[in-house]
Amino acid sequence: QVQLVESGGGLVQAGGSLRLSCVASGSTFSINTIAWYRQDPGKQRDVVAQIDSDGITSYADSVKGRFTISRDNAKSTVYLQMNNLKAEDTSVYYCYARARFSWGNRAYWGQGTQVTVSS
């Protein structure tokens, strides 16, 4: 099992920055991919950025050049540095991890953290 706990959300003015953190615990050695998603009320949850075990990253087009995902394996923590925030970045952000076990793959989610960008 894997547990994910996000932190770092809050209220920020447009153009400002926030850094989200996701701390993983449990069978962290089994995690191969970690990602950040966001979801608005009544809409689907969309991927924002992801990083795999080799450190390869990918981003949604809407955040490229503004957001950076990174991981600190020693701390079992993944970060999402968000710069030049826009009102449309307002959302609930979720940490996601995909773990591989001998019996198969399983996905895990954090509880979410609210990010509000005021224009």
Side-chain angles (χ1 to χ4, degrees), residues 23-115:
V23 179
S25 60
S27 302
T28 57
F29 58 87
S30 63
I31 296 173
N32 48 24
T33 297
I34 289 191
W36 287 95
Y37 283 70
R38 63 188 182 189
Q39 184 175 27
D40 296 334
K43 296 187 178 180
Q44 69 177 21
R45 196 171 291 186
D46 294 324
V47 63
V48 174
Q50 74 173 42
I51 184 167
D52 66 18
S53 54
D54 294 327
I56 297 173
T57 59
S58 62
Y59 298 90
D61 288 342
S62 59
V63 307
K64 282 181 181 177
R66 300 188 298 120
F67 290 12
T68 302
I69 188 171
S70 61
R71 63 194 294 173
D72 184 335
N73 291 329
K75 296 182 179 180
S76 298
T77 301
V78 172
Y79 304 99
L80 184 67
Q81 178 67 44
M82 305 185 294
N83 298 328
N84 191 22
L85 283 160
K86 304 176 180 180
E88 51 263 41
D89 295 318
T90 295
S91 190
V92 179
Y93 286 72
Y94 295 89
C95 183
Y96 161 93
R98 185 177 67 210
R100 179 175 296 172
F101 299 99
S102 59
W103 43 264
N105 296 329
R106 183 170 178 178
Y108 297 90
W109 293 94
Q111 80 285 356
T113 185
Q114 176 71 46
V115 171

